[in-house]
Amino acid sequence: MMSDGVQSSPLPGLRVVVLLIAISVPIMLGIETLLRVYVLGPLYGPVLTELRGIYWPELTDEIIATRATNTAWILIGVTVVAGCVGIALLRWVIRRASAATGEQPTPNKIRDSLLLLTSIPQVPGLLSTLCLAGGGELLPVLICVGVSTSFVVVQGFVGERAIEAMGPAAAAC
């Protein structure tokens, strides 16, 4: 569409897309919590407790909760490593694309790489939300989700800077 000589793009901008990707893990935490507390817990909680008592009587609620909490703490470290790997891979993809062609990579290639590589720090963040299902503590899960979200935002800044470095015409794409 043309309005006042400016063409509006039907696609959301890079910042909007990165923001939506970044908040997906916190949204998942909220949805998982609501489902666990109001749907799955009341429906399947007693059945799962009975099955666990039959097949794994040594696994008490306290043991499961401790293991889930420890897993969530470990996933914080995994998220930090995954986030650093994601940023390094994004920078490597940008450098490699420009070295292979001898030209700057296209904004679409950077955008596509960015959207793919943001999943790297999100996976441990998503896994940490599942620790709450085992009775794990909320604090390590919230820290892991925050770290995951932060790395996605940092990746967005790296991708945006790479696109801006190509000039105003590339940044407008």
Side-chain angles (χ1 to χ4, degrees):
M1 285 187 187
M2 293 288 254
S3 172
D4 297 331
V6 176
Q7 185 175 1
S8 64
S9 174
L11 299 174
L14 183 63
R15 287 183 182 181
V16 173
V17 172
V18 169
L19 179 65
L20 290 173
I21 292 170
I23 64 171
S24 64
V25 174
I27 288 172
M28 169 61 185
L29 174 62
I31 291 171
E32 186 274 334
T33 300
L34 289 173
L35 284 174
R36 181 176 34 83
V37 170
Y38 294 110
V39 178
L40 299 176
L43 288 176
Y44 298 109
V47 173
L48 292 176
T49 302
E50 182 178 342
L51 286 174
R52 190 180 70 226
I54 293 170
Y55 293 110
W56 303 285
E58 67 278 0
L59 291 179
T60 64
D61 288 339
E62 294 80 22
I63 291 173
I64 294 172
T66 301
R67 289 180 182 175
T69 300
N70 291 341
T71 302
W73 283 115
I74 291 168
L75 284 171
I76 293 171
V78 171
T79 304
V80 170
V81 170
C84 293
V85 167
I87 292 169
L89 280 175
L90 181 60
R91 289 182 174 165
W92 178 77
V93 165
I94 294 167
R95 281 193 309 270
R96 183 171 176 244
S98 61
T101 62
E103 305 171 352
Q104 287 284 352
T106 64
N108 288 338
K109 181 165 180 97
I110 293 174
R111 239 182 240 115
D112 293 347
S113 299
L114 173 65
L115 297 179
L116 177 67
L117 295 174
T118 54
S119 63
I120 294 173
Q122 284 188 309
V123 170
L126 287 170
L127 290 175
S128 74
T129 65
L130 299 177
C131 292
L132 293 176
E137 293 178 17
L138 183 61
L139 178 64
V141 173
L142 289 178
I143 292 171
C144 192
V145 167
V147 169
S148 170
T149 302
S150 299
F151 273 110
V152 170
V153 170
V154 170
Q155 284 179 312
F157 283 128
V158 170
E160 186 178 42
R161 281 193 165 176
I163 292 172
E164 286 175 355
M166 293 179 201
C173 291

